[in-house]
Amino acid sequence: MTHRGSRVLHVGALARVEGEGALRLRISDGTVTQAQLSIYEPPRFFEAFLRGRRHTEPPDITSRVCGICPVAYQTSSCHAIEDVCGITVDGQLAALRRLLYCGEWIESHTLHIYLLHAPDFLGCDNAIELSRTHRADVERGLRLKQAGNSIMEFLGGRSIHPINVRVGGFHRTPARTEFRPLAERLRQARDDALATVAWVAGFDFPEADCDADLLALTEPGTYAIETGTPTVLPHGDGHRTRTFPLADFTTHVVEEQVPYSTALQARLDGRRHLTGALARYAISGHQLPPAVREAARSAGLADPASGQICRNPFRSVVVRAVEVLYAVEEALRLIDAYELPPYPAVDVPPRAGTGHGATEAPRGTLYHRYTLDDEGLVTDACLIPPTSQNQGAIEEDLRRIVQDRLRHGEPTDAELTRLCERAIRNHDPCISCSAHFLDLTVVRA
Amino acid sequence: MAAPVRSRPRLGVFKFASCDGCQLTLLDCEDELLPLAAEIDIAHFVEASSDIQPGPYDLSLVEGSVSTPEHLERIRRIRSESRHLVTIGACATAGGVQALRNFADVAEFRATVYAKPEYIETLATSTPISAHVPVDFELRGCPIDRGQLIEVITAFLADRRPDIPNHSVCFACKRRGTTCLPVAHGIPCLGPVTHAGCGALCPAYGRGCYGCFGPSASTNMPAMIPLLRSDGMSDEDILRFLHTFNAHDFAAIEPPGELGEEGAAS
């Protein structure tokens, strides 16, 4: 039995997220006084053991932070090290990096949409159960996910911890003709991606609003993925964005340690902020090609080109589907424009200094900073993953959603757990990045 | 109490310190996932399902290394609830990349990463599952190979040994018809001492094997190390090459004395 008064809800192993975490809610007389997302993923000390490594090593090592977004880690690492060494990788090598990243977006977003998130909207515990009533939908999702994986396998060698990425470019670059089977597969995937947008648009979305500043990278003329300038869209300040240089990232995005979590929590200029699909779409949505914007509009998403901003975290599933469609289109465009570069990688001789790299991991902005000594050995490393940045916004989301629910009477613990898990999964948290998820115990005051 | 008759074997997937990549490999079996789910009951797989059922499990797949005090107790419980226990990946099999702490001062690591290290509970070591409980089979790789995972699951469910060869990457490389990188191009490669399973991927992409499947069944380190030196690696480079994703296992077989002495002489 639950009753009004003080209660503490502790959800101890959050399901269908990547990594391990728990949630603690304190409710006093109908008011949520505390919502703590506690990440108990065991610390793995990447920043410590990167020290003493040669400047060529971080991409392979940091990919092991996360099995779901290894390309994000590899690419942020490469950019930061190339920044130290004063090298810019452009042309077809940069295009191939974006192509590989499109593969990761398709794979990771589709995994999240179909296997982790859709069961919430359709009242199932998992995608296997979902497949009993929505077999064709789940099969479409698996096919689309496989298309993303096929980009990563072709270009990266494998989909988890690709082996073909290196500082300066790639170990091997494919000939143009080798892309034909992949392009054929992506043309089929385009239909699956369009159908995915239409499918998720039909879900039932509770009303919700995310009261946080939004942060995403932007790039002139394109939807930023693998590079860009940090751009902030403050909450409640119309549509005026501001940017800051990437080199100043850690002066704006400051991590602090909280006692209940192994993941550090970051705030942006002292305020909670959100990165990821909602932030990217709000800040860069006007850069999407017309066909993708049209798909977004028919899915009922606010059109950022006309100044509308979608802040409903439940609708992030629609934004992800739109981003998958974009990534498929973009991959096809990149393949079509591909010419074999003269060499697979630019030579990156080491030099002493500090460099910065940031990319848009599927779940948000991923920042890396490295300092190298004269011999090219890493003396300092700093990795700020999206989940550590999103934690504050997720906690506020939880507080607000539970508070809203309390207005309609006292929910059971099971109901609260389900609601909170949904709210967390809206943000596709990648918890092993930071440091897994929800059993339930209730402690009553 | 009589146990209910179960028609389908029960699978558990468990995570310790890891990147989730090896359990993701199961979800990456896009063509096999639904047919597999028709044959087995996915009873515990937190990453993929909110329906978390208690043991016992017929087959438990364990990802990740033992790295916190809580892990010690949890792995014993999982073992006691599992008919077969199989480790998946370099972390569970060899301590993983986080086993680099085993060669360092973990207190210093903790202070490097955390402003308030006293909040962080961790063991001084990251150890393989087999260091704590009996393991029925170890599947190697960082990450594991999808085809090998399907073989292991189907083998255990059919009560036979998995057909996973113990030979080195070199065998797979020859079979693939890839030109030998050290011989033809002087590129350092750990293929001769590394467990097969990846399909000799790196050499096919023009880079030397970096040992992510850990040591093969028979290794000849005294021959390997001079070969790496002749390909231009310093002893520090060689140590780092071996000390990455399977540091714990490679460190157990490398001849450190010889490496140190010759390194000092050269």
Side-chain angles (χ1 to χ4, degrees):
Chain A
M1 282 294 289
T2 54
H3 55 85
R4 283 232 172 230
S6 288
R7 62 200 270 223
V8 175
L9 180 87
H10 179 71
V11 189
L14 217 37
R16 283 189 280 125
V17 298
E18 194 272 335
E20 295 192 303
L23 170 68
R24 190 180 179 87
L25 284 178
R26 188 177 290 275
I27 303 169
S28 283
D29 292 328
T31 303
V32 186
T33 55
Q34 195 179 51
Q36 290 182 338
L37 181 64
S38 142
I39 289 177
Y40 56 88
E41 185 78 19
R44 291 184 293 150
F45 302 116
F46 277 86
E47 288 156 320
F49 62 66
L50 280 163
R51 291 173 313 173
R53 292 274 163 174
R54 200 167 287 291
H55 76 298
T56 49
E57 296 181 72
D60 287 325
I61 295 178
T62 60
S63 68
R64 268 67 181 184
V65 172
C66 177
I68 299 188
C69 57
V71 172
Y73 279 87
Q74 292 183 327
T75 314
S76 287
S77 272
C78 287
H79 283 317
I81 291 160
E82 290 154 9
D83 184 41
V84 183
C85 303
I87 299 288
T88 304
V89 173
D90 51 18
Q92 289 296 339
L93 291 176
L96 283 180
R97 278 189 175 162
R98 187 169 172 91
L99 175 60
L100 183 66
Y101 220 125
C102 285
E104 179 156 289
W105 267 28
I106 298 167
E107 187 279 326
S108 173
H109 273 352
T110 309
L111 170 81
H112 185 261
I113 295 168
Y114 282 89
L115 299 185
L116 310 183
H117 209 184
D120 278 337
F121 291 95
L122 300 168
C124 299
D125 283 328
N126 55 58
I128 307 292
E129 190 188 327
L130 186 63
S131 70
R132 292 187 194 115
T133 50
H134 295 73
R135 180 86 185 190
D137 296 314
V138 174
E139 285 180 344
R140 179 181 60 236
L142 291 169
R143 202 162 56 222
L144 187 55
K145 181 170 170 301
Q146 204 170 34
N149 275 338
S150 65
I151 298 178
M152 294 169 77
E153 285 163 15
F154 173 72
L155 195 54
R158 61 186 172 199
S159 57
I160 302 170
H161 310 328
I163 53 94
N164 191 25
V165 173
R166 65 184 294 175
V167 172
F170 293 85
H171 291 277
R172 177 186 181 276
T173 42
R176 197 177 147 76
T177 50
E178 292 179 72
F179 279 102
R180 273 189 208 134
L182 185 62
E184 183 54 38
R185 175 165 214 150
L186 288 169
R187 278 190 284 273
Q188 293 165 7
R190 183 193 276 152
D191 294 340
D192 286 334
L194 266 169
T196 301
V197 175
W199 186 57
V200 299
F203 292 172
D204 186 26
F205 301 102
E207 285 301 321
D209 178 69
C210 183
D211 169 17
D213 292 353
L214 302 176
L215 172 71
L217 301 177
T218 57
E219 196 63 56
T222 191
Y223 199 73
I225 302 179
E226 82 296 356
T227 177
T229 303
T231 303
V232 183
L233 179 61
H235 183 250
D237 191 23
H239 311 296
R240 285 210 319 273
T241 57
R242 65 174 197 271
T243 63
F244 56 84
L246 185 58
D248 294 346
F249 197 86
T250 51
T251 58
H252 292 277
V253 179
V254 177
E255 286 189 308
E256 63 175 35
Q257 192 178 358
V258 290
Y260 53 84
S261 186
T262 54
L264 302 176
Q265 286 199 8
R267 289 166 75 83
L268 169 66
D269 295 325
R271 291 158 57 92
R272 62 174 166 268
H273 71 291
L274 183 70
T275 73
L278 279 181
R280 282 192 296 258
Y281 182 71
I283 294 171
S284 281
H286 61 284
Q287 303 272 21
L288 290 167
V292 178
R293 279 174 52 202
E294 176 55 29
R297 196 197 55 76
S298 35
L301 274 185
D303 183 6
S306 52
Q308 298 169 306
I309 292 166
C310 171
R311 288 182 169 270
N312 183 342
F314 290 94
R315 286 190 189 269
S316 68
V317 69
V318 187
V319 178
R320 275 185 204 97
V322 167
E323 288 194 333
V324 171
L325 176 65
Y326 172 66
V328 172
E329 299 275 9
E330 181 67 357
L332 280 164
R333 185 189 70 77
L334 291 164
I335 291 171
D336 193 49
Y338 178 71
E339 303 284 349
L340 181 68
Y343 31 76
V346 179
D347 191 27
V348 184
R351 69 179 194 197
T354 296
H356 313 264
T359 63
E360 283 295 323
R363 41 203 66 71
T365 309
L366 169 64
Y367 168 81
H368 286 206
R369 183 189 73 218
Y370 302 97
T371 302
L372 303 182
D373 67 14
D374 290 329
E375 291 169 39
L377 299 180
V378 175
T379 58
D380 182 65
C382 169
L383 317 177
I384 304 184
T387 301
S388 83
Q389 301 181 62
N390 290 345
Q391 276 184 97
I394 296 176
E395 287 182 345
E396 173 56 19
D397 242 31
L398 287 163
R399 190 199 62 75
R400 182 189 302 252
I401 283 167
V402 173
Q403 191 67 64
D404 282 351
R405 175 61 191 80
L406 290 175
R407 291 200 186 95
H408 308 286
E410 192 77 8
T412 64
D413 288 349
E415 191 190 341
L416 270 182
T417 301
R418 206 161 50 238
L419 183 68
C420 291
E421 286 203 321
R422 279 194 72 173
I424 292 167
R425 284 192 287 262
N426 283 339
H427 295 287
D428 187 12
C430 185
I431 291 179
S432 54
C433 279
S434 17
H436 237 168
F437 256 14
L438 258 337
D439 326 314
L440 175 73
T441 48
V442 183
V443 184
R444 290 187 181 82
Chain B
M1 192 180 82
V5 178
R6 292 198 185 95
S7 54
R8 296 188 303 159
R10 309 182 77 231
L11 176 74
V13 181
F14 299 92
K15 174 190 157 73
F16 290 78
S18 67
C19 77
D20 286 47
C22 292
Q23 40 178 325
L24 177 67
T25 304
L26 188 55
L27 299 178
D28 273 356
C29 298
E30 289 98 356
D31 291 333
E32 299 87 1
L33 191 60
L34 296 182
L36 192 65
E39 300 297 321
I40 58 172
D41 175 12
I42 300 177
H44 187 294
F45 188 1
V46 177
E47 188 181 34
S49 176
S50 306
D51 178 17
I52 299 166
Q53 301 168 25
Y57 311 102
D58 294 290
L59 174 62
S60 288
L61 301 175
V62 178
E63 173 192 275
S65 68
V66 173
S67 79
T68 69
E70 181 264 339
H71 285 165
L72 294 165
E73 181 266 323
R74 190 159 72 101
I75 191 58
R76 289 189 195 108
R77 196 186 69 235
I78 292 168
R79 175 69 264 189
S80 70
E81 292 177 336
S82 308
R83 188 155 71 94
H84 301 298
L85 189 151
V86 171
T87 64
I88 54 169
C91 297
T93 303
V97 68
Q98 57 272 4
L100 289 170
R101 74 175 70 171
N102 303 359
F103 308 90
D105 174 3
V106 78
E108 193 262 340
F109 269 26
R110 190 157 50 182
T112 300
V113 178
Y114 297 98
K116 303 187 184 78
E118 63 276 14
Y119 292 166
I120 302 298
E121 282 225 328
T122 184
L123 297 171
T125 53
S126 162
T127 42
I129 301 300
S130 64
H132 306 279
V133 294
V135 167
D136 298 298
F137 191 80
E138 295 180 313
L139 186 63
R140 296 181 161 276
C142 181
I144 55 170
D145 175 78
R146 190 161 37 196
Q148 290 200 335
L149 177 63
I150 296 286
E151 164 60 17
V152 163
I153 293 173
T154 50
F156 273 95
L157 297 179
D159 273 325
R160 62 172 174 83
R161 281 307 277 184
D163 180 18
I164 304 289
N166 274 328
H167 58 233
S168 75
V169 167
C170 281
F171 282 75
C173 206
K174 298 291 163 286
R175 195 176 295 153
R176 192 166 173 151
T178 304
T179 302
C180 180
L181 295 174
V183 171
H185 304 293
I187 295 174
C189 181
L190 286 179
V193 296
T194 299
H195 201 285
C198 63
L201 211 49
C202 287
Y205 280 76
R207 73 178 292 189
C209 165
Y210 62 86
C212 64
F213 274 62
S216 60
S218 58
T219 58
N220 186 348
M221 277 299 171
M224 183 78 237
I225 286 164
L227 189 63
L228 294 171
R229 286 192 187 119
S230 70
D231 289 332
M233 294 186 89
S234 71
D235 283 2
E236 291 77 28
D237 291 336
I238 294 171
L239 271 176
R240 282 204 316 275
F241 208 23
L242 293 167
H243 282 213
T244 310
F245 308 109
N246 290 276
H248 177 276
D249 277 15
F250 275 120
I253 59 162
E254 75 197 37
E258 186 205 351
L259 191 63
E261 282 159 35
E262 289 199 11
S266 61

